[in-house]
Amino acid sequence: EKGEYRHFMQKEIHEQVRSLTDTLAGRVDFDEGRIHLDTLNLTAEKARKIEKIIVTACGTAAHAGMVGKVLIERIAKIPVEVDIASEFRYRDPLVNPNTVVLAISQSGETADTLAAMEEARKKGAMLWSIVNAIGSQAMRLADGCISMQVGPEIGVASTKAFTAPLVDLYMLAVLLGDLRGELSATERKRLVADLSLIPDLAGKCLDREEEVKKVAYALKDTHNALYLGRGINMPIAYEGALKLKEISYIHAEAYPAGEMKHGPIALVDKNMPVIAITPRDPWYDKMISQVEQVKARGGIVVVVATDGDEKARELADYVLWIPETPWLLSPVITVIPLQILAYHIATLRGLDVDQPRNLAKSVTVE
Ligand code: F6R
């Protein structure tokens, strides 16, 4: 039931304080500073054998995987590739028993993702999954699984089933880093302690819905939008653009911001809104200089920026404010205003966001 909300998507966006709390429940020992993911069936011996992780998924789940790459490489020092499931399954990928193939899927029934898992199984990889739907194929096929614990997601545009796997991947990275001896006790404890902040920070973003709605009003008649991000927040540009295109039918593209000068900056004029994700992460200065270049070419600039960031306020036409967040967890927070923005742009255009045209919640055919 939608309760006080107009759409399931809006309800599910607002459920994220709860779903992120549930994501941590039973997995995080804040006293010891340790992560427990028992259903992964992981031992220190197995963790040390891993030479490579390939994340395979589709759509929003693949964007979560792209964030996971940065997290696992940074924290656990294991090389990670992200492979769209429909590509992985047909490419004769290089996989061996020391490779982990990690599938991410809300429904656990996406045909391409399941086929990618079967391909990995045939080649002898270790097979893990991060799945929401309990008892689904993607859960049953895997040697180890992390369940998303967010409850059913009804809205076709995925929201709470995007932020949960981001946290799951962070916890996985910390667990792997710990088992492989890559983390000092101090580092491990700090990484674990930071998790406790996440539900409240998500709540602060939700409290700002009315301000995001004003930006939605300003952008509702645009025909195009360009999303830019770098580093750990580059996948959030992809996710923000996907949310906008699937429910508002506005053409939106995403680029790693450093690619702008290699072509896409030619698109920028006074009619092109550019949505830049500029939290205080290690790529902040680079992002700001890219925003300056867009501004110099007359583009309408919206930034997702951290409270108190005067530089961002000066530069941008509109700011979607987020609370200060530890940077390795920042994608969980930066995506929330972009979910709300897409939702309000679509509803202002009079569209049924829960049933977007041509889309199904679960893509069980190829
Ligand atoms: C976007 C969206 C889709 C799914 C994709 C994978 O909002 O919902 O892009 O993320 O179809 O679905 P699952 O996660 O069920 O495998």
Side-chain angles (χ1 to χ4, degrees), residues 58-61 104-110 113 156-158 239 242-243 246 360-363:
C58 305
T60 286
I104 305 177
S105 177
Q106 187 289 126
S107 65
E109 301 293 351
T110 299
T113 307
V156 165
S158 190
E239 178 58 9
L242 179 60
K243 287 295 90 105
E246 67 183 331
K361 181 65 183 159
S362 176
V363 186

Coordinates of all heavy atoms in Angstrom, one line a residue, residues 58-61 104-110 113 156-158 239 242-243 246 360-363, ligand 1:
C58 N 22.6 -5.7 -14.6 CA 22.0 -4.9 -15.6 C 21.5 -3.6 -15.0 O 21.1 -3.6 -13.8 CB 20.8 -5.6 -16.3 SG 21.2 -7.2 -16.9
G59 N 21.4 -2.5 -15.8 CA 20.7 -1.3 -15.4 C 21.3 -0.7 -14.1 O 22.5 -0.6 -13.9
T60 N 20.3 -0.4 -13.2 CA 20.6 0.2 -11.9 C 21.6 -0.7 -11.1 O 22.5 -0.2 -10.5 CB 19.3 0.5 -11.2 OG1 18.7 1.6 -11.8 CG2 19.5 0.8 -9.7
A61 N 21.4 -2.0 -11.2 CA 22.2 -2.9 -10.4 C 23.7 -2.8 -10.9 O 24.6 -2.9 -10.1 CB 21.7 -4.3 -10.5
I104 N 24.5 -8.8 -9.2 CA 23.7 -8.0 -8.4 C 22.3 -7.9 -9.0 O 22.2 -7.6 -10.3 CB 24.2 -6.6 -8.2 CG1 25.7 -6.7 -7.6 CG2 23.4 -5.7 -7.3 CD1 26.4 -5.3 -7.5
S105 N 21.2 -8.2 -8.3 CA 19.9 -8.1 -8.9 C 18.8 -7.9 -7.9 O 18.8 -8.6 -6.9 CB 19.6 -9.4 -9.7 OG 18.4 -9.4 -10.2
Q106 N 18.0 -6.9 -8.1 CA 16.8 -6.7 -7.2 C 15.9 -7.9 -7.3 O 15.5 -8.5 -6.3 CB 16.1 -5.4 -7.6 CG 15.0 -4.9 -6.7 CD 13.7 -5.8 -6.7 OE1 13.3 -6.2 -5.6 NE2 13.2 -6.0 -7.8
S107 N 15.5 -8.2 -8.5 CA 14.4 -9.3 -8.7 C 15.0 -10.7 -8.5 O 14.3 -11.6 -8.2 CB 13.8 -9.2 -10.1 OG 14.8 -9.4 -11.1
G108 N 16.3 -10.8 -8.8 CA 16.9 -12.1 -8.8 C 16.4 -13.0 -10.0 O 16.7 -14.2 -10.0
E109 N 15.7 -12.4 -10.9 CA 15.1 -13.2 -12.0 C 15.5 -12.6 -13.4 O 14.9 -13.0 -14.4 CB 13.6 -13.3 -11.9 CG 13.1 -14.0 -10.6 CD 13.4 -15.4 -10.5 OE1 13.9 -16.0 -11.5 OE2 13.2 -16.0 -9.4
T110 N 16.4 -11.6 -13.4 CA 16.7 -11.0 -14.7 C 17.4 -12.0 -15.6 O 18.5 -12.6 -15.2 CB 17.6 -9.8 -14.5 OG1 16.9 -8.8 -13.7 CG2 18.1 -9.1 -15.8
T113 N 21.2 -11.6 -16.3 CA 22.0 -11.8 -15.1 C 22.1 -13.3 -14.8 O 23.2 -13.8 -14.4 CB 21.5 -11.0 -14.0 OG1 21.3 -9.6 -14.4 CG2 22.4 -11.0 -12.8
V156 N 8.7 0.7 -10.7 CA 9.6 0.2 -11.7 C 11.0 0.8 -11.6 O 12.0 0.1 -11.8 CB 8.9 0.3 -13.1 CG1 10.0 0.1 -14.2 CG2 7.8 -0.6 -13.3
A157 N 11.0 2.1 -11.3 CA 12.3 2.7 -11.2 C 12.9 2.3 -9.8 O 12.4 2.6 -8.8 CB 12.2 4.2 -11.3
S158 N 14.1 1.7 -9.9 CA 14.7 1.2 -8.6 C 15.3 2.3 -7.8 O 16.0 3.1 -8.3 CB 15.7 0.1 -9.0 OG 16.2 -0.5 -7.9
E239 N 23.4 6.8 -12.9 CA 22.1 6.4 -12.2 C 21.1 7.6 -12.2 O 20.0 7.4 -12.5 CB 22.4 5.9 -10.8 CG 21.2 5.6 -9.9 CD 20.4 4.4 -10.5 OE1 20.8 3.8 -11.5 OE2 19.3 4.2 -10.0
L242 N 19.7 7.7 -15.7 CA 18.8 6.6 -15.9 C 17.4 6.9 -15.3 O 16.4 6.7 -15.9 CB 19.4 5.3 -15.5 CG 18.5 4.1 -15.7 CD1 18.2 3.8 -17.1 CD2 19.2 2.8 -15.1
K243 N 17.5 7.4 -14.0 CA 16.2 7.6 -13.3 C 15.4 8.7 -14.1 O 14.2 8.5 -14.3 CB 16.4 8.2 -11.9 CG 16.9 7.2 -10.9 CD 15.9 6.1 -10.5 CE 16.1 4.9 -11.3 NZ 16.8 3.8 -10.8
E246 N 14.1 7.1 -17.6 CA 13.0 6.1 -17.6 C 11.7 6.5 -17.1 O 10.7 6.0 -17.5 CB 13.5 4.8 -16.8 CG 13.7 5.0 -15.4 CD 14.3 3.7 -14.7 OE1 14.0 2.6 -15.2 OE2 15.0 3.8 -13.7
A360 N 9.3 -3.1 -17.8 CA 8.8 -4.0 -16.9 C 9.7 -4.1 -15.6 O 10.9 -3.8 -15.7 CB 8.8 -5.4 -17.5
K361 N 9.1 -4.4 -14.5 CA 9.9 -4.4 -13.2 C 11.0 -5.5 -13.3 O 12.1 -5.3 -12.8 CB 9.0 -4.6 -12.0 CG 9.7 -4.6 -10.7 CD 10.3 -3.3 -10.3 CE 11.1 -3.3 -9.0 NZ 12.0 -2.1 -9.0
S362 N 10.6 -6.6 -13.9 CA 11.6 -7.7 -13.9 C 11.7 -8.2 -15.3 O 10.7 -8.5 -16.0 CB 11.0 -8.8 -13.0 OG 11.9 -9.9 -13.0
V363 N 12.9 -8.2 -15.9 CA 13.1 -8.5 -17.3 C 13.5 -9.9 -17.4 O 14.7 -10.3 -17.4 CB 14.2 -7.5 -17.9 CG1 14.3 -7.7 -19.4 CG2 13.8 -6.1 -17.6
Ligands
F6R1 C1 16.1 1.0 -13.3 C2 15.8 -0.4 -13.2 C3 16.4 -1.4 -14.1 C4 16.9 -2.6 -13.3 C5 17.4 -3.7 -14.2 C6 18.0 -4.9 -13.4 O1 15.4 1.7 -12.4 O2 15.0 -0.8 -12.4 O3 17.5 -0.8 -14.8 O4 17.9 -2.2 -12.4 O5 16.4 -4.2 -15.1 O6 17.0 -5.5 -12.6 P1 17.3 -6.5 -11.4 O7 18.1 -5.7 -10.4 O8 16.0 -7.0 -11.0 O9 18.2 -7.6 -12.0

